[in-house]
Amino acid sequence: MLNKLNPWKKDPSPSDFQERLLKIKEHQVPAHIAIIMDGNGRWASKRALPRVAGHHEGMKVVRKITKLANELGIKTLTVYAFSTENWKRPKLEVDFLMKLPEEFLGTFLPELVEENVRVEMIGYMDKLPEHTRKAVEKAMDDTKDNTGLVLNFALNYGSRAEILDGVKRVIEDVRTGKISEDDLTEDAFSSYLMTREMNDPDLLIRTSGEIRLSNFMLWQLAYTEFWFTDVLWPDFNEEHLIEAIEAFQGRQRRFGGV
Ligand code: FPP
């Protein structure tokens, strides 16, 4: 059967999961995976549940995928948990989404600490409700010395705003002589973005069949490999992550060269 969104790639036969895992580890795994976790609302609607039930189920998937990504030696996992545009959603849904980081970290932080995972965040933290901000800050602080996977939450994140803010700070730094126009290389500009501490994603995954970027890491995704799936985020599992990494390992990255 042909995969609808990746027609060049046949759906994998259901071979043994462990075998595929070992095979993946023999090759280079993507150092940074970014995920647009889409389809929570549709997952819930299909089950006649409120949309927030989909978000709650989606939260548990983040835990599963973090664990496997860490085991695979992936360095950074960025998950798009809330965009600067998501404030337009009904208040009940926004309030629920703002409570999820607390619930996630309240439940799983001890395990993340145990597994040497470091929690990070990109996004406009100062505009988050205090309870959300405090939960994320505590997790970042409790895990700051960990050296395993970086679990990076994009929370109240918007890429255009991020780039525009970067440009404004560059203008200020040129004005005050901190940087000259000639020194403003792509690398130098990257250091004005929220992702300044991390490499660009190697692999972007978007679930639920939507094929767009939704204002996510527009600068950082310039040379990233994209992988789309019809699977709704709450249904996404370890096997899907393996499938995405297998697809990535089959790609030839040329970064504009030949
Ligand atoms: C998009 O699906 C999803 C979101 C806007 C929220 C993503 C949040 C999670 C998966 C929870 C994880 C959070 C933490 C803190 C671990 P949608 O609601 O737009 O789905 P739809 O397109 O089917 O309506």
Side-chain angles (χ1 to χ4, degrees), residues 36-45 51 54-63 79-83 86 89 93 97 99-105 108 151 153 155 206 208 210 212 232-234:
I36 303 178
M37 311 179 287
D38 199 7
N40 296 346
R42 275 164 284 169
W43 182 92
S45 301
R51 289 177 53 80
H55 296 314
H56 196 259
E57 201 60 26
M59 177 193 79
K60 296 189 221 158
V61 177
V62 173
R63 171 67 193 120
V79 290
Y80 203 8
F82 194 90
S83 78
N86 286 153
R89 294 188 176 209
E93 186 172 341
L97 284 167
K99 287 203 185 106
L100 273 188
E102 275 163 283
E103 182 174 346
F104 178 86
L105 295 164
F108 300 121
L151 173 59
F153 287 101
L155 203 52
R206 182 170 188 150
S208 91
E210 308 295 351
R212 55 174 172 266
L232 305 175
W233 178 251

Side-chain angles (χ1 to χ4, degrees), residues 66-81:
T66 302
K67 196 171 171 63
L68 179 58
N70 195 23
E71 280 166 17
L72 286 170
I74 287 155
K75 301 272 178 262
T76 309
L77 178 69
T78 298
V79 290
Y80 203 8

Side-chain angles (χ1 to χ4, degrees), residues 18 23 34 56-57 153 175 196 229:
Q18 289 303 330
K23 241 193 174 128
H56 196 259
E57 201 60 26
F153 287 101
R175 202 179 57 79
R196 65 187 73 84
T229 175

